[in-house]
Amino acid sequence: MVADQPGRAELRAVATQEALDALRGRRQLIMRAVTPIALFIVVLGATLVLRGADPDQRGNFRVAVEGEFEGSRSTLEALGRGRIDFEASDDAALATARGAHLGLRIPSALDSAIGTSADDIGQSLQIVVFFRPSDPASRAANALVRAGFSELRKRLLLEVTQARTTQITLNVTDVQLTEKGTRRLSSGLVPALLVLQASMVVAGAATRILGRRNRGLLIAQLLLPMSRWRMSLAKMLAEFVIGLATAGPVLIVVLLFVAGTSFGSDGVVAAIIATAATLITAAALYVPMAAVGLLIGTLARTQEQVSLGAAVAVIISATTAAVFALGDLPPFGPTALIPVAGLATALRDLLAGQGSPLWVLVGMVSSVGVAAAFTAFAARSFNSERLVLRSVA
């Protein structure tokens, strides 16, 4: 332990120097804080637009049925007129929010209830309909099912005499405004914003490394009697701290939002777990992004190369946010093994009430592991430059 103290002191000294140098560029820090928000709005808008379009309007509509499916098959098939594919579901509202065109919650033995309605005066059957108003296909399926029930009711009125009829009541619910639907949709916003916010670290780190090389400061550091791994780690940690500091205001708002949403849905314990998972995810996302920026800055020799590498990183991050955070991927725990993307998915599932904190920790380990690999690769590049400098001396 005593022998390791000088190494820790060197690590802390270099990291502090790098962080102070980054804090001097206030304009760049402001841009790094504002740009992800604008990018997030663009990604969110594009995702919602793509969700609103159904590429296959010629196919049948998918309707999730919650209740006794087998005892209601005849009635349901009469409603669909051959244009609806009914499928059993444990939660029609959630199935609709996750991709089904429509959801139905039906009473038990609907076929028998309708068939014996003439013997029960004033019998009432309540059917709940879930649909998505922003989806044209969902609206069309809703209109088709409502028309089917309307025709069914007219037929019953004609068949039943002496005012003996079955009253069918439709309660139409917008699943995007229910608690579960809102929670499912909003749970993707948090990891998406965190991914985009963390991606800004790449350009800042790469530009700073290149700038220090052009000013000759990097050459002076390479001649220090310090491990290349420690130097790379120090620079990566400095960018990590700067990234978190830059994202501080946005991160505080996100944490408050998560805490309030989780507390209102599941109570204090769930709010604490969700908030802690969000904070862990934010920190874990900044580590690989800082390592990628360090690697790009180490390998690049011109500002054009830095800009190109940073642009690729931002595009990949935006795609990750759109597909894994805001997308309709079903919950699958082992996805957390994928660096960055899996972590975003694990947090999304946890906030939606369908995941586990364990998968968030798995995603954190995966993301930190790939960051260590990038940092080690950058250290090898530093070591090569150091050998060249010593041979010239």
Side-chain angles (χ1 to χ4, degrees):
M1 296 294 295
V2 177
D4 192 46
Q5 291 302 318
R8 294 182 182 179
E10 294 169 354
L11 181 67
R12 184 166 52 252
V14 174
T16 302
Q17 181 184 15
E18 296 287 336
L20 292 176
D21 181 66
L23 289 174
R24 295 189 182 98
R26 296 181 180 178
R27 184 176 301 177
Q28 186 181 19
L29 294 178
I30 295 175
M31 290 298 297
R32 285 172 58 173
V34 175
T35 303
I37 300 176
L39 186 60
F40 171 75
I41 295 174
V42 173
V43 172
L44 177 61
T47 302
L48 293 178
V49 169
L50 293 177
R51 278 184 175 182
D54 191 345
D56 187 16
Q57 292 292 337
R58 296 172 295 179
N60 289 350
F61 298 106
R62 290 177 51 234
V63 175
V65 180
E66 177 184 348
E68 189 176 345
F69 185 76
E70 293 299 329
S72 309
R73 186 182 293 274
S74 298
T75 302
L76 294 175
E77 291 178 352
L79 296 175
R81 307 175 190 174
R83 295 196 56 195
I84 293 179
D85 293 330
F86 293 98
E87 54 189 42
S89 174
D90 295 331
D91 193 330
L94 185 59
T96 306
R98 291 175 53 187
H101 294 117
L102 202 70
L104 295 178
R105 181 180 295 156
I106 60 176
S108 301
L110 184 60
D111 292 342
S112 301
I114 292 178
T116 59
S117 60
D119 299 327
D120 297 324
I121 300 177
Q123 180 184 3
S124 178
L125 300 178
Q126 187 178 59
I127 299 171
V128 182
V129 181
F130 303 95
F131 81 113
R132 300 190 306 272
S134 61
D135 187 355
S138 184
R139 295 197 302 268
N142 177 44
L144 181 62
V145 169
R146 287 170 68 103
F149 274 114
S150 178
E151 291 183 3
L152 178 60
R153 186 172 184 276
K154 290 179 181 179
R155 179 174 62 82
L156 292 174
L157 285 172
L158 293 176
E159 291 178 354
V160 180
T161 59
Q162 298 179 356
R164 295 180 179 180
T165 183
T166 296
Q167 298 294 329
I168 300 177
T169 304
L170 289 181
N171 292 335
V172 182
T173 304
D174 176 4
V175 299
Q176 292 175 331
L177 297 180
T178 60
E179 180 181 350
K180 289 185 177 179
T182 301
R183 185 174 181 180
R184 175 67 183 177
L185 293 175
S186 62
S187 62
L189 302 180
V190 173
L193 182 58
L194 293 181
V195 169
L196 295 175
Q197 188 84 37
S199 66
M200 296 296 103
V201 178
V202 176
T207 301
R208 201 152 18 253
I209 296 296
L210 180 63
R212 296 182 75 81
R213 174 186 286 114
N214 293 338
R215 297 198 306 269
L217 299 177
L218 181 60
I219 296 177
Q221 289 180 330
L222 291 176
L223 294 175
L224 293 174
M226 180 180 181
S227 167
R228 301 307 100 188
W229 161 253
R230 290 186 181 276
M231 178 173 293
S232 298
L233 183 61
K235 291 179 178 295
M236 188 272 289
L237 290 177
E239 297 301 332
F240 165 76
V241 173
I242 291 300
L244 280 182
T246 304
V250 175
L251 185 58
I252 291 175
V253 174
V254 170
L255 292 176
L256 291 176
F257 170 77
V258 170
T261 304
S262 301
F263 176 76
S265 302
D266 302 316
V268 178
V269 177
I272 294 175
I273 294 175
T275 305
T278 303
L279 184 60
I280 290 174
T281 300
L285 287 174
Y286 276 92
V287 175
M289 295 298 180
V292 170
L294 173 66
L295 182 59
I296 293 175
T298 302
L299 299 178
R301 290 297 180 267
T302 63
Q303 185 60 46
E304 289 76 12
Q305 293 176 349
V306 167
S307 299
L308 179 60
V312 172
V314 171
I315 292 174
I316 294 176
S317 299
T319 304
T320 300
V323 175
F324 289 88
L326 295 173
D328 293 324
L329 296 177
F332 184 61
T335 306
L337 295 172
I338 305 175
V340 179
L343 180 58
T345 306
L347 180 62
R348 182 203 66 177
D349 294 339
L350 178 66
L351 297 181
Q354 300 174 290
S356 169
L358 178 62
W359 290 118
V360 175
L361 295 178
V362 171
M364 179 194 70
V365 173
S366 175
S367 299
V368 173
V370 76
F374 285 139
T375 304
F377 195 83
R380 291 184 60 183
S381 179
F382 281 146
N383 194 48
S384 298
E385 292 191 22
R386 183 189 183 194
L387 292 176
V388 171
L389 289 172
R390 286 194 168 185
S391 63
V392 172

